[in-house]
Amino acid sequence: MQLAAIEAFVTICDTGSFRAAAQRLHVSQPAVSKRLANAEARLGFALFDRVGRRVILTDAGRQFLPHARRLLAALEDGRRALDELSDRVIGHLALALSHHVAMHRMPPVLRQYVKTFPGVDLDIHFLGSEDACNAVARGHVELAIVTLPDPPIAGLDQQRVWADPMVIAVAEDHPLAQQTEVTVAQLREVPALLPEPDTQTHAIVSRAVGGHDADLTVRQHSNNLDTLKMLAEVGLGWTALPPAMLAGSRLCELRLPGVSLTRSLGTVRHPERHLSAAAAALLSLLAL
């Protein structure tokens, strides 16, 4: 069976359609259909049921999928091992970055990386931290640099790079900004601007000032901290941000005695995957 046929099968599973798979593989839709037909002919089983425009895995497809993923992962590991035979750091590095890490932590690191290792084909995916961890687990990216999950995700290796303290902030003209200290009870009376409930940052803030969401009135969710900053600046409520994001803004840090917010930012990788020279070079710049 051709490798391209297996790759087409896995990509259709990941994207949910022949058209999206063709776009990801940079081939025509008929080419994807032909490759899948080749796989089904060689296996002697139909891998998908076609229902209108939908594709649904058959029992045979579900059984074959994990084996196909392992085969592609093994071939990728082999390619990386061969890349390391060269004294130069070259090859492809699929990297996932959360928005905050990409905007506020990685620019100087990536600037040095691109300058030092020009032979690396750097493929950056901008994802939420949770989606980035899933991408590592599924083998879509080799390395993610994100807000680290707590507790850690079973089967993944994570290393802390930065401690990321956060503070509660409101607009400078907000009534709470005029007080020397603010209680948690007072804060709960004001609408909150927070990341989505399934994120690590939301959990950290909620535990510190709310206990659970029922104690908070959340006006707006966004996983983009720059968006939450803007919403807070115009007076729509309070939010939690790293202190550096308050510089030059129209926000004021609230002092809440007894409340401390810190999240961990760092790397996530799959311990069973061969670490490419390109990924190792990036980790070295992060002092890991």
Side-chain angles (χ1 to χ4, degrees), residues 7 12 27 31 61 102 111 114 152 176 178 203 221 226 243 245 247 250 265:
E7 186 179 34
I12 294 167
V27 298
R111 189 177 302 114
V114 171
L176 290 182
Q178 315 311 315
H221 287 116
D226 290 291
M245 293 187 68
R250 300 189 179 191
L265 310 179

Side-chain angles (χ1 to χ4, degrees), residues 36-233:
L36 181 68
N38 173 271
E40 292 178 325
R42 292 298 186 102
L43 292 170
F45 289 91
L47 299 175
F48 291 106
D49 286 325
R50 285 75 161 175
V51 182
R53 294 186 177 181
R54 298 176 58 208
V55 289
I56 303 172
L57 277 170
T58 62
D59 288 341
R62 281 189 289 272
Q63 289 292 327
F64 183 62
L65 179 58
H67 300 283
R69 290 194 189 281
R70 284 196 292 270
L71 176 59
L72 292 179
L75 289 170
E76 178 67 12
D77 285 347
R79 186 192 60 77
R80 289 171 181 161
L82 292 175
D83 285 344
E84 291 184 350
L85 293 176
S86 170
D87 292 334
R88 295 181 300 148
V89 177
I90 58 175
H92 177 265
L93 175 59
L95 172 68
L97 301 177
S98 67
H99 180 272
H100 178 74
V101 166
M103 296 296 294
H104 299 281
R105 296 286 186 171
M106 289 302 292
V109 177
L110 291 176
R111 189 177 302 114
Q112 183 180 353
Y113 186 85
V114 171
K115 182 178 180 180
T116 308
F117 307 109
V120 174
D121 174 21
L122 192 58
D123 179 16
I124 301 178
H125 301 251
F126 299 96
L127 301 171
S129 294
E130 290 70 25
D131 289 338
C133 290
N134 288 334
V136 171
R138 294 171 67 99
H140 294 167
V141 299
E142 182 179 358
L143 188 66
I145 307 177
V146 295
T147 301
L148 297 178
D150 183 20
I153 298 175
L156 296 181
D157 175 68
Q158 62 183 54
Q159 299 291 327
R160 175 167 155 169
V161 180
W162 304 284
D164 196 39
M166 304 185 78
V167 298
I168 304 298
V170 294
E172 292 175 338
D173 57 356
H174 193 281
L176 290 182
Q178 315 311 315
Q179 299 184 202
T180 304
E181 292 183 354
V182 175
T183 66
V184 170
Q186 288 177 303
L187 195 66
R188 291 174 183 167
E189 298 299 318
V190 177
L193 308 163
L194 298 177
E196 295 291 343
D198 60 350
T199 62
Q200 181 64 26
T201 302
H202 182 104
I204 291 171
V205 176
S206 183
R207 283 196 299 265
V209 304
H212 49 79
D213 283 356
D215 296 326
L216 301 174
T217 301
V218 181
R219 170 171 278 172
Q220 183 77 42
H221 287 116
S222 174
N223 289 341
N224 187 322
L225 294 187
D226 290 291
T227 298
L228 296 179
K229 172 185 172 182
M230 180 276 293
L231 295 173
E233 282 185 310

